[in-house]
Amino acid sequence: MTQHADATAGTDPAPIREAHDLAEARHHITTVYIPHELTSNDNRPLDFRLAYLHSRQLTLGHLRYGADVELLCPPMLSCYHVNLTLAGSTQVRQGNRSAATDGGRGGAAFGFAEPYVVRWNPDAVQYAIKIPRTAMESQLAALAGRPVDAPIRFDLGFGLRSARGQSLLAAVRHLQAELARPGGTAELPLVRAQLESYVISQMLLVIPHDHQDLLTTTGRAAGRTHVRIAMEYAEEHAAEPITAPDLARVACVSMRALQVGFRDELGVSPATYIRNVRLDRARQDLLARGAGVPISEIAHRWGFHHLGRFAEHYRRRFGVLPSHSIATEEARTPVDPVR
């Protein structure tokens, strides 16, 4: 598969905005991201296309200009911005730093406090992702198990060819496809929160930054009390869009410490524990469901948007498929002969 084909593979999110001149393209980016200056270096007509979605914790766009253009963006103030280059190349500057990105091999991360410049070549295609400071910094705090009291300073340019870099790309593609899919995770807050949290966590693990030592320090395992706090929170808030980092935040330990603590105490990860709690609730609803309520409705209610995976997780936990649980329960229910 070529770089260009890889850049456009999958389902594009909606809405889609297109333009062939600078003014219209500038208007679209201003509306979705930030006011900025846009200039052309070759005076050719643009082949601008932006497919984007606003989600709870980020704005995700699939973007091209189709010309040699340069954007001068002011400080974003309340957001971080990350570009993942899928095809072509870009040159970026912020402060006294500069970097170049190539399709499938690199990206750029911009801090919120300084203006920055992005020059696109005509073949460049990128994911352009805007993440509020609160979302990025609270996710770092959850992963580290301690407050983040200073802004995150990311390296301007970073690689994507490593296994973790490819995982970041795959996570963003999956989030894009699911948010765009009719009836997908845009309508399922539990799943959407998990996917958003995973994408932001991948950014914090892939993009070098000045808080990275917080994520590489192993530290001690969470104690039994911390594990119990996390378990109780998962039980009480299973119907809400909680994720494993939320459990770490509530238990006041790092994500790594909570993972080790859950493994030692329960033999599962925090994410698996949350999933098992939701499977238990789904089973309760399946056994008590009213006539005509489909299995899919109950699965979606508890954050399982892929019915095949739901059935497999259910079978592993309870030894039967969801439909068999229902049939077994119905067989046990006495039939009123009057009816």
Side-chain angles (χ1 to χ4, degrees):
M1 180 177 288
T2 65
Q3 281 187 344
H4 184 72
D6 181 66
T8 56
T11 304
D12 281 330
I16 296 173
R17 300 191 176 192
E18 298 180 335
H20 298 288
D21 62 72
L22 292 172
E24 192 173 7
R26 184 188 303 115
H27 170 73
H28 292 324
I29 294 298
T30 294
T31 301
V32 176
Y33 292 100
I34 190 173
H36 64 290
E37 296 178 17
L38 178 64
T39 57
S40 172
N41 294 305
D42 58 9
N43 295 317
R44 63 189 286 180
L46 272 59
D47 185 18
F48 173 93
R49 187 179 188 274
L50 169 64
Y52 71 95
L53 278 169
H54 297 297
S55 193
R56 185 171 67 92
Q57 295 191 80
L58 49 83
T59 298
L60 170 59
H62 185 275
L63 175 63
R64 74 174 184 228
Y65 280 88
D68 184 349
V69 298
E70 186 168 286
L71 288 78
L72 172 59
C73 302
M76 298 196 72
L77 301 180
S78 62
C79 296
Y80 296 95
H81 186 89
V82 174
N83 286 344
L84 305 178
T85 305
L86 304 174
S89 62
T90 71
Q91 295 78 44
V92 298
R93 301 192 308 274
Q94 187 170 39
N96 60 0
R97 301 177 298 161
S98 62
T101 71
D102 291 313
R105 292 184 288 181
F110 304 98
F112 57 83
E114 298 176 295
Y116 61 93
V117 176
V118 184
R119 181 170 179 173
W120 294 61
N121 82 352
D123 297 326
V125 180
Q126 298 195 113
Y127 281 127
I129 310 167
K130 182 172 70 172
I131 310 98
R133 283 188 63 186
T134 52
M136 184 74 83
E137 292 170 12
S138 65
Q139 188 74 0
L140 175 59
L143 293 173
R146 56 193 289 186
V148 175
D149 54 9
I152 305 168
R153 183 175 174 83
F154 289 104
D155 284 8
L156 181 60
F158 60 90
L160 290 172
R161 288 195 281 185
S162 67
R164 280 188 171 177
Q166 291 301 300
S167 293
L168 172 57
L169 278 175
V172 173
R173 287 193 183 100
H174 183 58
L175 177 61
Q176 174 201 20
E178 288 302 320
L179 290 175
R181 185 168 59 87
T185 55
E187 301 172 11
L188 302 172
L190 296 181
V191 180
R192 185 178 66 238
Q194 294 173 49
L195 293 178
E196 292 170 347
S197 176
Y198 182 64
V199 166
I200 297 173
S201 293
Q202 287 293 100
M203 289 180 180
L204 289 165
L205 293 170
V206 170
I207 308 171
H209 56 83
D210 60 350
H211 290 67
Q212 214 146 28
D213 60 318
L214 300 180
L215 304 179
T216 56
T217 301
T218 302
R220 299 174 59 185
R224 185 168 297 174
T225 299
H226 296 102
V227 171
R228 177 62 59 183
I229 291 171
M231 291 170 60
E232 291 175 352
Y233 188 85
E235 295 278 353
E236 294 170 3
H237 299 271
E240 302 171 19
I242 60 169
T243 60
D246 292 322
L247 302 191
R249 187 182 302 113
V250 169
C252 298
V253 294
S254 72
M255 190 64 232
R256 173 60 179 160
L258 192 67
Q259 288 172 334
V260 176
F262 263 69
R263 183 196 64 198
D264 292 347
E265 295 290 330
L266 305 172
V268 298
S269 69
T272 298
Y273 187 83
I274 293 172
R275 185 179 69 207
N276 287 344
V277 170
R278 289 172 174 158
L279 284 168
D280 293 344
R281 303 293 171 79
R283 184 172 186 271
Q284 292 171 8
D285 287 356
L286 282 169
L287 297 179
R289 72 175 187 156
V293 178
I295 293 175
S296 60
E297 180 179 317
I298 293 172
H300 291 167
R301 181 185 306 160
W302 292 105
F304 300 99
H305 70 285
H306 191 291
L307 292 182
R309 293 194 189 103
F310 169 65
E312 179 59 22
H313 289 315
Y314 192 98
R315 185 190 63 78
R316 289 180 182 175
R317 183 153 180 79
F318 303 116
V320 295
L321 293 172
S323 57
H324 186 69
S325 283
I326 296 168
T328 301
E329 186 65 20
E330 289 174 345
R332 292 174 180 169
T333 303
V335 177
D336 187 342
V338 175
R339 297 181 182 177

